[in-house]
């Protein structure tokens, strides 16, 4: 039996989250997607010969900020300044996250003024996250975390036999 990444994914928890209709979970999932989009498409747009380069750099920075917002565990293990940690901790509610994502989407929509590039996808992804968090805020839904990766204390988490086979 080979080690498979699917063994570590909490599919039951993900299905439960989908059925919950809690839009803060959807916003968080799109936030994870936005991390990848911001960094990948930001790097891809660094190769233009006009001002879009600045928006590519901003997109990379946005991806890193979203990384720390959506995965707060990183704030504890990475050496960061207290000002940055305080800034990130402001976005603990659905309303503030909706405003944050909306502001970042507006910045990326401004890149269209210079040239229509793949940064439009980043702007649309940020808008979807903003809309999800805004719906959660207007419906007064609790801010909820999601567990995509299985907890090591779960009964079906891969144990020593799988690790032995890897070695």
């Amino acid at each position: 039996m080979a080690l498979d990444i699917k063994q570590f994914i909490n599919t039951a928890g993900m299905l439960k989250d989908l059925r919950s209709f809690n839009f803060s979970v959807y916003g968080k999932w799109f936030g994870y997607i936005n991390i990848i989009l911001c960094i990948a498409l930001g790097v891809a747009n660094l190769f233009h010969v006009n001002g879009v380069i600045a928006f590519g750099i901003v997109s990379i920075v946005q991806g890193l900020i979203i990384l720390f917002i959506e995965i707060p565990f990183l704030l504890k293990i990475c050496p960061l300044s207290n000002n940055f940690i305080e800034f990130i901790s402001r976005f603990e509610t659905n309303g503030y996250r909706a405003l944050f994502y909306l502001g970042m989407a507006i910045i990326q929509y401004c890149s269209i003024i210079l040239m229509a590039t793949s940064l439009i996808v980043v702007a649309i992804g940020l808008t979807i996250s903003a809309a999800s968090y805004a719906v959660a805020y207007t419906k007064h839904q609790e801010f909820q975390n999601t567990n995509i990766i299985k907890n090591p204390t779960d009964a079906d988490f891969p144990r020593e036999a799988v690790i032995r086979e890897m070695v």
Side-chain angles (χ1 to χ4, degrees):
M1 178 170 100
L3 182 64
D4 189 14
I5 192 71
K6 293 177 187 174
Q7 295 173 338
F8 293 98
I9 304 240
N10 186 6
T11 53
M14 289 171 58
L15 290 173
K16 180 182 156 203
D17 288 342
L18 274 175
R19 287 187 216 119
S20 73
F21 291 105
N22 188 333
F23 284 88
S24 69
V25 173
Y26 303 152
K28 191 168 201 62
W29 284 6
F30 277 108
Y32 295 149
I33 294 169
N34 285 327
I35 293 168
I36 297 166
L37 286 177
C38 286
I39 293 173
L41 296 177
V43 169
N45 282 284
L46 292 178
F47 301 105
H48 288 281
V49 187
N50 60 13
V52 174
I53 294 171
F55 286 101
I57 294 169
V58 168
S59 178
I60 294 168
V61 171
Q62 287 175 333
L64 295 174
I65 292 172
I66 294 170
L67 180 71
F68 286 108
I69 287 177
E70 296 296 348
I71 307 171
F73 173 70
L74 294 177
L75 292 174
K76 295 176 180 149
I77 63 172
C78 295
L80 301 167
S81 71
N82 289 335
N83 290 336
F84 184 74
I85 293 172
E86 184 179 311
F87 170 73
I88 295 296
S89 63
R90 291 180 187 166
F91 305 108
E92 291 294 321
T93 63
N94 291 327
Y96 285 124
R97 285 197 183 189
L99 292 174
F100 172 75
Y101 277 107
L102 182 63
M104 298 220 310
I106 289 170
I107 291 170
Q108 290 304 323
Y109 280 122
C110 289
S111 72
I112 298 172
I113 295 169
L114 299 175
M115 183 179 192
T117 63
S118 58
L119 290 174
I120 296 170
V121 176
V122 173
I124 292 170
L126 293 169
T127 304
I128 292 171
S129 286
S132 297
Y133 281 122
V135 169
Y137 177 73
T138 56
K139 287 185 154 191
H140 303 291
Q141 293 178 339
E142 280 188 34
F143 183 74
Q144 181 177 339
N145 284 323
T146 181
N147 293 325
I148 294 176
I149 309 250
K150 285 184 182 175
N151 190 348
T153 59
D154 290 344
D156 59 344
F157 190 80
R159 298 287 177 218
E160 296 84 19
V162 175
I163 296 171
R164 265 195 306 268
E165 189 172 321
M166 280 178 29
V167 177

